[in-house]
Amino acid sequence: MRILSGIQPSGKLHLGNYFGMMQPALELQQRGEAFLFIANYHALTSVSDPAALRQGTLDVALDFLACGLDPARTVFYRQSDVPEVNELAWLLSTVTPMSLLEKCHSYKDKIAKGLAPSHGLFAYPVLMAADILIVQSNVVPVGRDQKQHVEVTRDIAIKFNNQFGEVFTIPEPSIRDSVAVVPGLDGQKMSKSYGNTVEIFGAAKEVKTKIMRVVTDSKGLAEPKDPDTCNVFALFKLFANEAEREALAARYRAGGLGYGDAKKALLEKFEAHFGPLRAKREELARNLDYVEGVLRSGAERARAEATQTLKKARQAVGLE
Ligand code: ADP
Ligand code: TRP
């Protein structure tokens, strides 16, 4: 089984990214041949500062390696080091109906949030299809908001195969139902564009301030509380095992647990989980030659695959 996912280097990674995409992708690296890349071409649709793009790209590389990406198992690379995806994106764009792209929520949402409606932003799903199809991926682990893009990829691949012969594997999205949407501090979906994130490698003090700000209802200390409608509990659940979840839920229902205590329990979980990873990240940041080496050798492996697929596609359409 071949697995591929990517993430844009367009902001500091947060708990939504971690539980929605990073952790599932890192777990899947045990189950098959994994490809993971930093989508810096895609990020150009929203990042216009070159220094920020460079820094963001390095940050994502450090984040993934610190969180357990194993370069011996996972082909880890920068999208722009595999320029073949652009040629494939062009071939795919010629079979992509405009109506398919016009339906995409992500494009409409980004415009609504004030991004300039560029051609790159509109064609974003076609480049994403090229990322996925160029390595013949079977499974694409993503958060729920990316599901439509994987469906568009399937439609494009099916159309291309019908027209030109069997060139591409048809991929499936893989979405973890239990963490389909991680809530932010205000209870909306956690997203950098809503300013409601907890960054996974934020400074300890900043993380604490943010967790203390998670919105709750105004029930008093003694009152019984409903864990299932509480944002603090929703975040706690992501870190906890079944017994820990049950234990805290019982304390909610019994009354006598203040939201401040629940937030402390969440903060402890956060620190226990990310504290050691933060130390590992600091060590990697002192070893940038190693990080660069990982990305270069990942790109070489990805390119070997990409070149083969592109050749098949070029032959199929009559360029060769
Ligand atoms: P953001 O919304 O902060 O801009 P991205 O759109 O860059 O995040 O998402 C990167 C990856 O993380 C995608 O696979 C996306 O589905 C996942 N993801 C982002 N936010 C969440 C969330 N709140 N819950 C679950 N998954 C998320
Ligand atoms: N669009 C994805 C996001 O914003 C990033 C991405 C680009 C991607 N290409 C991909 C994800 C291919 C999975 C597969 O999160």
Side-chain angles (χ1 to χ4, degrees), residues 244-261:
E244 293 165 331
R245 254 178 262 160
E246 282 309 314
L248 187 64
R251 290 178 64 203
Y252 263 77
R253 293 192 189 103
L257 171 91
Y259 285 120
D261 297 323

Side-chain angles (χ1 to χ4, degrees), residues 214-290:
V214 176
V215 173
T216 60
D217 60 30
S218 52
K219 288 208 169 90
L221 180 77
E223 285 179 78
K225 301 178 179 67
D226 181 4
D228 299 327
T229 56
C230 177
N231 294 324
V232 182
F233 191 77
L235 292 170
F236 178 88
K237 261 192 341 196
L238 299 167
F239 292 96
N241 62 32
E242 178 98 35
E244 293 165 331
R245 254 178 262 160
E246 282 309 314
L248 187 64
R251 290 178 64 203
Y252 263 77
R253 293 192 189 103
L257 171 91
Y259 285 120
D261 297 323
K263 289 176 179 178
K264 271 192 204 129
L266 168 60
L267 185 61
E268 270 166 31
K269 278 280 169 209
F270 183 99
E271 280 304 317
H273 190 87
F274 288 111
L277 305 185
R278 197 183 286 140
K280 195 163 158 206
R281 192 182 190 283
E282 282 162 12
E283 190 189 317
L284 285 160
R286 289 191 291 272
N287 249 312
L288 294 183
D289 288 349
Y290 165 78

Side-chain angles (χ1 to χ4, degrees), residues 46-95:
S46 63
V47 181
S48 53
D49 172 1
L53 185 61
R54 273 184 213 107
Q55 185 61 45
T57 305
L58 175 62
D59 280 337
V60 172
L62 291 171
D63 290 354
F64 268 91
L65 290 168
C67 289
L69 183 141
D70 175 359
R73 283 183 180 274
T74 298
V75 181
F76 188 37
Y77 57 100
R78 278 177 292 246
Q79 187 183 30
S80 59
D81 287 341
V82 185
E84 287 78 10
V85 294
N86 281 305
E87 185 174 346
L88 184 60
W90 175 255
L91 303 189
L92 298 177
S93 77
T94 61
V95 299

Side-chain angles (χ1 to χ4, degrees), residues 5-8 10 12-22 110 113 141-146 179-184 188-193 197:
S5 195
I7 192 154
Q8 295 190 70
S10 52
K12 300 253 189 264
L13 298 185
H14 53 70
L15 289 175
N17 301 137
Y18 184 75
F19 287 107
M21 181 273 186
M22 293 174 80
K110 286 173 180 171
K113 279 183 210 148
V142 279
R144 175 154 297 161
D145 58 330
Q146 293 295 317
V179 291
V181 179
V182 175
Q188 288 191 84
K189 175 196 166 215
M190 185 176 289
S191 168
K192 60 180 173 285
S193 35
T197 59

Side-chain angles (χ1 to χ4, degrees), residues 4-8 10 17 21 37 39 42 79 106 110 124 127-129 131-132 140-143 145-146 149-150 153 192:
L4 170 129
S5 195
I7 192 154
Q8 295 190 70
S10 52
N17 301 137
M21 181 273 186
F37 71 95
H42 276 114
Q79 187 183 30
S106 167
K110 286 173 180 171
Y124 184 112
L127 180 58
M128 183 158 162
D131 295 325
I132 297 170
V140 184
V142 279
D145 58 330
Q146 293 295 317
H149 285 159
V150 183
T153 301
K192 60 180 173 285

